[in-house]
Amino acid sequence: MLFEQRILELRKELSHHNQLYYQDATPEISDAEYDQLFRELEELEAAHPDLHDPNSPTQRVGGSPLDSFQQRDHLIPMLSIDDIFSEEEVAEFFARLQKNLNLETIPLTIEPKIDGVACSLVYRHGSLEYALTRGDGSKGDDITQNIRTIQRIPLTLNNAPPLLEIRGEVFMPNSGFQKLNQQREAEGLDTFVNPRNATAGTLKLLDPKAVASRPLDFIAHGLGAHENSNLTSEIDFRSTLEKQNLPPNLPLWQASTLPELLTAIKELDSARHSLDYGTDGAVIKVVDFAQRQQLGSTSRAPRWAAAFKYPPEQKETLLKAITIQVGRTGVLTPVAELEPVFVSGTTVSRATLHNQEEIERKDVRIGDTVVVEKAGEIIPSIVKVITTKRPTESEPYHLPTILNYKCPSCGGPISKEEGFVAWRCTNFACPAQAVTRITHFASRKALDLDGLGESVAIKLVENNLATSPLDLFTLTLEQLGDLLLDPAKSSDGLTISKERRFGEKRATTLLGSLEHAKTQMPLNSWIFAMGIPQIGESAAKELSRLHQNLTDLPESKIIADLADLPDFEELSKSKRKKENHPHLAQYQIDDNLGPVAAQNLRSFFSSETGQNVLLKLSELQINPTSDNFAPLPPSDTSNLPLSGKTFVITGTLSAPRPEFKKIIESQGGKVSGSLSAKTDYLLAGEKAGSKLAKAESLSVEILNEEGLQKMLN
Ligand code: IVH
């Protein structure tokens, strides 16, 4: 009981300080005091798991997103390092050191060059004051609150000098990078090209909670500004790192002669591939700080350091086959199946070929001998084809032809959207996409199905309970309640609870929201939920303005006419076309719904899958209704081109008279049946009869279609 009270007290207090610190930027206590309270709370919570609270400050990183990063000057400029690329250049670098220091042997260290993002940590009186990016070298962005989420960076130091600036590299371990990309792929998000990009992208996030969820790490590699630190060499610097629990850059070599230096560079090359992060070189540094001082710097880089860059290892191998993966969003990715080959520390047997355009650009063919390397030392890629080794009978590779325009996973139709490079499967029921589609269907902006997130969708698909979204409506309370989920992990990722059932309570809630979706969710949510290419939320909303029920869509004349308009041109032109179309003009369709979207809708509803969806919906008696149905927008008639004008229509026109009536009315005009002196215009088509003469006698202006058109423009 005593502990419970203390836990509650600490949570309250910490939340308070959290808010002061992050939200109001007016901390009342030091970082050290904060940490002490935090640790006390953590310990108490660990000892009392029954008092676990997901909202405890220990369970999250506090703070709300920033609006932007503040800039700040570096205490000392953050310089770069000069790159060298060959043994000769290493020899030249060493000779220059010998000459400038007038010494034969010079103690050096050799360590990995980490492929990450440079960062400066400024500790004052033992606590992290702020952290900056390199920026332009003289000032950088203040990314302190993002840096605080990196567990390996101590927020406080012990017996530290009054000022200690530690410079180092923020990076993402390869393993964490892969996991992150898998996760993003599953959520239908763009994946990062390499760990460096992922790191840079993450540090730019303004929301520290998002940063906290990314696997960033840090290694210290340099000393910035310092006061009263008594550091005189790289060796001293490294013992400080050790003392302060700051992660050092390892492995480390020492050398004092050129042959020793070259050996170290070679040894580092073979050792670096077993590190769980990208490295692309060896940083060579003079050990002694007095010697560094003597050597000095250029405006760009110090003369006491150099970065030897390793060339990416390249190997030739045979491209045995090209397989095609169906991604969880239906994207078809060609993958080169290679004769296994050892490159940069691992065996490579597959490499992505990205897409058809990339295959054409490199003219990659099955049976080719190709050159493989690991881009950024991580991801295998095909550099080029050795065309001289090409078998005579080889043929250019064309993905859609090979697939016979069918998805390799489900046999459904594949298509390539205008302006995109990827071919994709458009089948609503494609099993490779089942999880993505169900998750999208259930998402908040679609049908908002309570308790149905990705992990539950995965289990439904794995257990064959659902292969497409509409299967959800036939699930029973029992099936859902008994569904086994993955064991839950604790926040430290170490302890795993036993398997969990979805459970009756959550099952009941989910069935409730399915029933709600069936009867209450508006048409636009349903259209969006179907995940038809190019039909986003806004297009769905516009479609539901124009149609009353889902069953109106397959037969819609509006969609048909829109689909017939020429494809994507510049916005202004397509808009003009929409307005000029005699049938479409009156609807004033906004730019969220264009010809391409309409074509996609048409092909969806006419496809076998689309037909099945319609059939299934009618079996389930689902026919969602629009809640914004208003095909003819109420227009402010006063400033429309025809406002206040009265028309009479006669003769044969290019479309039925009611169509013209709609156009005139949509532009603010009135249409009357009988001519009088109050009539402003007679719209006269061919074979106009007596009305023509009457109009003349009443001095009513006579218009043909062209004349009307002019008025509308
Ligand atoms: S020492 C005066 N050591 O490479 C520069 N830098 O190209 C002293 N880097 O911005 C830097 N690994 O962020 C040093 N082991 C290492 C490094 C390293 C990566 C980065 C550093 C710097 C860039 C220069």
Side-chain angles (χ1 to χ4, degrees), residues 378-437:
I378 309 288
I379 301 156
S381 72
I382 289 178
V383 181
K384 61 176 181 190
V385 172
I386 311 283
T387 41
T388 51
K389 295 191 180 174
R390 170 171 282 169
T392 44
E393 73 284 1
S394 87
E395 280 178 32
Y397 184 87
H398 190 239
L399 182 149
T401 310
I402 299 264
L403 292 179
N404 199 14
Y405 293 84
K406 290 196 169 79
C407 168
S409 168
C410 69
I414 63 170
S415 72
K416 185 164 104 61
E417 283 160 35
E418 186 90 16
F420 287 81
V421 288
W423 283 82
R424 66 196 315 173
C425 167
T426 57
N427 182 5
F428 185 70
C430 176
Q433 301 169 59
V435 170
T436 320
R437 288 192 175 275

Side-chain angles (χ1 to χ4, degrees), residues 79-81 111-114 118 134 169 221 249 283 285 302:
L79 300 181
S80 183
I81 315 181
E111 62 183 53
K113 182 161 199 297
I114 303 155
R134 188 181 125 125
E169 214 72 4
H221 57 51
N249 191 10
V283 178
K285 294 175 185 168

Side-chain angles (χ1 to χ4, degrees), residues 136-148:
D136 64 4
S138 65
K139 54 175 171 309
D141 284 339
D142 186 330
I143 52 165
T144 314
Q145 64 165 354
N146 287 349
I147 287 300
R148 279 180 195 279

Side-chain angles (χ1 to χ4, degrees), residues 153-200:
I153 296 181
L155 298 179
T156 58
L157 305 177
N158 310 311
N159 295 324
L163 170 66
L164 183 66
E165 180 191 1
I166 299 294
R167 292 176 174 181
E169 214 72 4
V170 178
F171 63 94
M172 196 176 282
N174 297 338
S175 46
F177 166 74
Q178 266 171 11
K179 243 204 236 150
L180 175 67
N181 263 359
Q182 281 163 7
Q183 224 173 308
R184 290 178 67 85
E185 165 118 37
E187 287 162 19
L189 299 168
D190 284 343
T191 51
F192 289 107
V193 184
N194 57 40
R196 215 204 80 83
N197 283 9
T199 305

Side-chain angles (χ1 to χ4, degrees), residues 185 191-193 319 321-325 331-338 348-356 358-359 361-362 364 370-373 375 378-383 399:
E185 165 118 37
T191 51
F192 289 107
V193 184
L319 191 156
I322 295 175
T323 51
I324 295 175
Q325 286 181 343
V331 170
L332 305 177
T333 306
V335 177
E337 304 292 340
L338 306 165
V348 171
S349 53
R350 314 184 82 198
T352 176
L353 290 164
H354 303 287
N355 53 56
Q356 176 64 26
E358 187 72 4
I359 291 178
R361 202 171 61 76
K362 292 180 179 156
V364 178
V370 295
V371 174
V372 179
E373 71 174 29
I378 309 288
I379 301 156
S381 72
I382 289 178
V383 181
L399 182 149

Side-chain angles (χ1 to χ4, degrees), residues 294-335:
Q294 203 179 330
L295 290 159
S297 299
T298 67
S299 63
R300 220 190 75 79
R303 291 197 195 85
W304 48 262
F308 177 84
K309 291 297 210 53
Y310 297 108
E313 191 183 6
Q314 297 192 335
K315 288 275 180 71
E316 280 184 22
T317 192
L318 182 73
L319 191 156
K320 296 187 298 185
I322 295 175
T323 51
I324 295 175
Q325 286 181 343
V326 188
R328 299 229 259 162
T329 53
V331 170
L332 305 177
T333 306
V335 177

